[in-house]
Amino acid sequence: MKKLFYFLVALPVVAFSQVKKENYDYFVQFNTPQLNKKVDLDQLFTHKAFKEFNKENANIKLNDFISFIDKERAISIHGNFTDSIPYYQVTIPLAQVEKFEQFLQNRTQKKGDSIQKHATYAMVTSRSGFTMAWDSKNLVVFELLNIPNYNTNPYSYQYDDYNDDYYEEEEEVVEVEIEEYDEDTPTIREGEILPPPPTEEEIGNLAEVEPYDEDWESEEVVVEDDEYDDDFYQDYRKEGEQTQEEKIAKQEALVAQMFEKSFVAPTSAKVNAKADISSWIDYQSVYSQVSSLYSLFSTFTPKANVPSDYAIKGMGADLYFENGKARMEQTVEYTEALAKIMSKIVRRKPNKKAFNHFPKNEPLAYLSYHINTAEALKNYPKIAEQMLSSLPVEKQDVDIMMDLITTLIDEEATATLFDGDFTLFFHDMEQYEYSYTSIEYDEDYQETEVEKTITKNKPVFSMIITSSHPTMSEKLINLGVRKHALTPENGHYTFTDKELGEVAILRDGAVLVFTNGLEYLGDNAPSAFAKKVKKNVSSNYCFGNFDINRFVKRYLMNEDFGKDTATILKISDQVKNFQVSASKKIKHNKMKLEAELNFTSQDQNIIIQTLDLIDYLK
């Protein structure tokens, strides 16, 4: 039995050792040398944002542990949750191994864990399930994960598992003849002798029966628990302990295999070595695990990951801490076929007339988004191929469904309803008087209508879309006028509902403007603000800005935040704006989106300022 057990342990170890390099579903790298130049790591991890990890009663205080790290080498986190052996691994370079061992020895003795000493490395497995191992240069935290493999779905029910004979057993049917029953006439069966009627004395005795005592308590009957329940629990517990033992044996064998021939720190060409923090995720692997479609089809067996010509291969995020700003670059890598399609979708030129209706002055926030709707609709079946390929449906059936959709939908005609230009502006926060009719009751409980006026805050906004359909927008506006939902006024239409103030619709050819701040918009000509952002809006399919500093101060003029006012003011004084841009250019099948968080002060360390912001938002 022991030989069989060790064989089962060794089998996945052999398989794991044969895994090719970079077979990771995700990889995160902390550029420790670069980060340490920008901020002292000891100071960084004693920041109050990490106070939960530095409590006195913590098992391992973060600020104590940091002193053992070699700050000249990178820290990495990687793992795999779609392979036959799902796991995660944290690799930390060590500088003071002897002090670290002494530190860990004191901790493990308190918890009853024992350190296993080997020739070139040491190992300890915590009671929570993970294994730590280290040699003279590196520390590894490793744990196997219990993730269901949806390619062999344990929740799918096989019809053959049931015994059909069980359901085919025929029960004997007994026919019972039911006679008619008359409630007024007692039924006397043949040969039955009825008892004599009660005497007057017996009837009198019935009246002397004591009435029911409501305070009477019935005798409690105690039923002892069945021993079966206790046996079942013991078997269940033993099974769980055995499973845990097997898991720990496997993971310790895997960790030993890492260190026996000199440990080599993991690397990945997918991450950016120049970034302060860089990460990469295999999109298909993540999608196959977290997709909500698997819960929808949980009683079926989803198909294994099917390679697709039109797929997202991976997603990366690089974080940089620069002078006065924290910047993130997100990268989405497509297959070559999908990259060509996405390039057509995002390369849309904004309608020039739209710039004539941009605000006169820079708004508090704005977002401009432009895609080619016709190309998106035409290529929808290919874009959705990756999602549909994992469903428990044959490809031929999916093709029929896609053909039906593309037949029913005229892509070019449908695209004219919404060409793909969408721009939103948030101008200001304003107070206004809102009048409404309320129903009240007088002293005689008679209904009376009372006109009331209250002061409300409204966001002043504008939204611009384009619709090149020759008649639809005009017909919809005319319908609104006929139904008294819209009122025509000097070149525009206003809604009769005044909940958000005077909301107007302005139509300029294919351009439609919805706004409750007409006075904020340009006079049918490009404004100074429009000229300023036109280049960025035209070269990016997505471009936006949120002036946090101005927004908070404008909001505080109209709202009372009570005890949170001081915190909100700290944020507004520290943070300037948040900006996002996504280029139309796709290079090497990769699309990039860049986001920047700009701070008002460049004198303070940008990493510390970012942690301050995180702490404020808690």
Side-chain angles (χ1 to χ4, degrees), residues 78-186:
H78 75 277
N80 192 308
F81 38 70
T82 56
D83 201 2
S84 58
I85 309 175
Y87 69 95
Y88 75 84
Q89 178 179 325
V90 182
T91 305
I92 303 172
L94 291 177
Q96 303 181 48
V97 179
E98 295 80 8
K99 291 184 178 179
F100 168 74
E101 285 185 342
Q102 185 60 47
F103 170 81
L104 197 62
Q105 184 73 44
N106 297 335
R107 296 288 177 177
T108 54
Q109 284 179 352
K110 292 179 181 179
K111 302 186 72 174
D113 299 326
S114 58
I115 297 177
Q116 306 173 32
K117 293 282 189 177
H118 299 275
T120 58
Y121 68 97
M123 180 193 305
V124 62
T125 298
S126 73
R127 294 187 178 184
S128 58
F130 65 86
T131 297
M132 295 176 63
W134 61 95
D135 59 10
S136 60
K137 294 182 178 180
N138 295 284
L139 166 68
V140 167
V141 180
F142 183 88
E143 183 175 10
L144 296 177
L145 302 175
N146 183 22
I147 297 178
N149 188 345
Y150 289 107
N151 297 332
T152 54
N153 187 5
Y155 303 108
S156 60
Y157 297 99
Q158 300 296 333
Y159 180 75
D160 295 337
D161 291 344
Y162 296 97
N163 186 357
D164 292 341
D165 296 337
Y166 176 81
Y167 299 98
E168 294 176 358
E169 292 181 2
E170 295 184 359
E171 296 183 0
E172 182 180 358
V173 179
V174 180
E175 295 184 359
V176 179
E177 183 178 351
I178 301 176
E179 299 179 352
E180 293 185 0
Y181 174 72
D182 186 354
E183 293 182 353
D184 298 328
T185 306

Side-chain angles (χ1 to χ4, degrees), residues 47-93:
H47 190 278
K48 54 188 175 182
F50 297 105
K51 61 184 178 182
E52 291 296 322
F53 302 95
N54 291 316
K55 290 182 176 179
E56 290 299 325
N57 58 351
N59 292 329
I60 298 179
K61 292 172 65 176
L62 185 61
N63 52 7
D64 291 340
F65 186 77
I66 294 301
S67 60
F68 307 123
I69 294 178
D70 182 356
K71 301 176 180 64
E72 297 302 317
R73 291 184 289 150
I75 298 172
S76 68
I77 303 171
H78 75 277
N80 192 308
F81 38 70
T82 56
D83 201 2
S84 58
I85 309 175
Y87 69 95
Y88 75 84
Q89 178 179 325
V90 182
T91 305
I92 303 172

Side-chain angles (χ1 to χ4, degrees), residues 6 12 31 79 125 129 186 198-199 211 215 243 254 265 350 372 382 445 550 557 562 579 581 595 604:
Y6 287 116
N31 193 337
T125 298
T199 63
D215 296 330
T243 302
L254 290 170
N372 190 320
K382 295 177 181 177
Y445 299 100
R550 285 175 56 213
M557 290 176 64
Q579 184 172 293
S581 62
Q604 300 179 30

Side-chain angles (χ1 to χ4, degrees), residues 174 245 315:
V174 180
E245 287 177 4
M315 301 177 69

Side-chain angles (χ1 to χ4, degrees), residues 156 202 238 280 373 396 424 523 566:
S156 60
E202 289 173 337
K238 288 179 181 178
W280 175 262
T373 312
Q396 293 84 350
L424 183 66
D523 299 323

